[in-house]
């Protein structure tokens, strides 16, 4: 493999001149620059990214930790993060935590050894112990997606879940529904709590009663939707509309409803949350609350890169607003 010394020898110049031509750090005459470029092409020389990163103390790489999840929402966010990194001239190293704090620590060590400039965390299962680890033991800037308690040192990007839950329930009410249930996410999760708060806010504003047996805690996965639908169907009095706090559980509700002979939306209106890619292809297409995954990803990457440039130490929170996507899974009651 050719070195910068080989290029300098072939071009008949010093190694510092080669460096100035390649990095455009000093004026070099066009004649000499052309000789250097010709030598580079002849020798197929590639500058050492390691050497450059040591010199400028920047690797132009970011690390991302993602918890294991079958939810396509995660994959869509990661896709958008990688695309934004490419647009900003950064390479992304992706690690899967498998929902394990010990594995997260091992991945953090590996990314630190690679000298990544910053970290992005999409790890809802992680505990506050991990947040302490990031704050107290590491100096790498961090942006967290929709997880963790507020912190003075890390940046957070998250959706306005309370408003999203309100928007979903308000839509069911506006379509004429009064008997409305809710399948929540794991209640220890911030997003799940806030979406339920939005549900209650809309119901209270409309003066509608909330039946406790129609509020069922799920797991943000298809199985949770299946179990919730089975429990609701076994009740003597059932809701005629359901706010399901993410699209994966809504998919489970659809599957179990079909097995039980419950027609969506004729017998039961359903609205989801996230607007994952497959939501539009469900039968019927799912009305849902859209999370702008491209915007969330771009804001996370841009916030992290901008922090690297500004050397800002204090953390900040960026709230992304969700929106309603109307499809065919909610019927209007005359």
């Amino acid at each position: 493999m050719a070195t910068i010394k080989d290029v300098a020898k072939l071009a008949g110049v010093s190694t510092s001149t080669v460096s100035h031509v390649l990095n455009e750090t000093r004026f070099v005459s066009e004649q000499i620059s052309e000789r250097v470029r010709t030598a580079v092409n002849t020798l197929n020389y590639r500058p050492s990214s390691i050497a450059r990163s040591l010199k400028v103390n920047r690797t132009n790489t970011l690390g991302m930790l993602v918890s294991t999840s079958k939810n396509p929402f995660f994959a869509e966010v990661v896709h958008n993060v990688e695309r934004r990194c490419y647009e900003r001239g950064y390479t992304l190293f992706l690690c899967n935590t498998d929902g394990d704090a010990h594995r997260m620590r091992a991945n953090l060590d590996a990314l630190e050894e690679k000298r990544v400039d910053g970290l992005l965390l999409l790890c809802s299962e992680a505990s506050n112990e991990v947040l302490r680890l990031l704050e107290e033991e590491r100096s790498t800037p961090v942006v967290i997606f929709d997880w963790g308690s507020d912190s003075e040192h890390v940046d957070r990007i998250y959706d306005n879940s309370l408003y999203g839950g309100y928007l979903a329930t308000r839509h069911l009410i506006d379509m004429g529904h009064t008997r409305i249930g809710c399948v929540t996410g794991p209640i220890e999760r911030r997003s799940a709590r806030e979406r339920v708060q939005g549900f209650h806010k809309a119901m209270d504003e409309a003066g509608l009663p909330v039946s406790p047996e129609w509020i069922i805690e799920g797991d943000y996965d298809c199985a949770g939707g299946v179990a919730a639908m089975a429990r609701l169907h076994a009740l003597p009095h059932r809701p005629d509309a359901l706010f399901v706090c993410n699209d994966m559980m809504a998919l489970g509700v659809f599957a179990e409803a079909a097995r039980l002979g419950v027609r969506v939306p004729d017998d039961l209106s359903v609205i989801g949350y996230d607007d994952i890619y497959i939501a539009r292809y469900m039968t019927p297409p799912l009305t849902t609350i859209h999370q702008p995954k491209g915007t969330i990803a771009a804001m996370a990457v841009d916030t992290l890169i901008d922090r690297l440039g500004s050397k800002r130490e204090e953390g900040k929170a960026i709230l992304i607003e969700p929106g309603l996507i109307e499809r065919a899974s909610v019927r209007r009651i005359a």
Side-chain angles (χ1 to χ4, degrees), residues 116-127:
V116 296
D117 296 327
L119 290 169
L120 299 151
L121 269 68
L122 184 58
C123 303
S124 298
E125 291 89 346
S127 67

Side-chain angles (χ1 to χ4, degrees), residues 147-221:
W147 161 75
S149 55
D150 292 335
S151 168
E152 296 180 356
H153 306 292
V154 302
D155 296 323
R156 292 182 61 211
I157 310 289
Y158 59 99
D159 84 298
N160 190 343
S161 289
L162 192 152
Y163 176 65
Y166 173 86
L167 197 62
T169 310
R170 186 71 250 178
H171 177 65
L172 294 175
I173 294 169
D174 290 343
M175 294 292 279
H177 293 282
T178 58
R179 298 167 53 82
I180 304 173
C182 181
V183 181
T184 80
I187 211 64
E188 71 274 7
R189 301 262 289 271
R190 181 202 60 80
S191 62
R193 291 194 303 273
E194 292 187 358
R195 290 171 194 180
V196 175
Q197 289 170 10
F199 166 79
H200 282 285
K201 183 174 185 291
M203 295 291 281
D204 289 344
E205 281 187 3
L208 295 175
V210 175
S211 176
E213 62 185 359
W214 293 351
I215 310 297
I216 299 177
E217 183 175 352
D219 59 358
Y220 275 161
D221 206 347

Side-chain angles (χ1 to χ4, degrees), residues 81-102:
V81 165
E82 193 281 329
R83 181 173 61 185
R84 188 58 175 172
C85 285
Y86 174 77
E87 293 171 351
R88 294 294 303 266
Y90 278 73
T91 299
L92 183 69
F93 289 111
L94 181 64
C95 294
N96 193 330
T97 70
D98 209 24
D100 184 343
H102 295 292

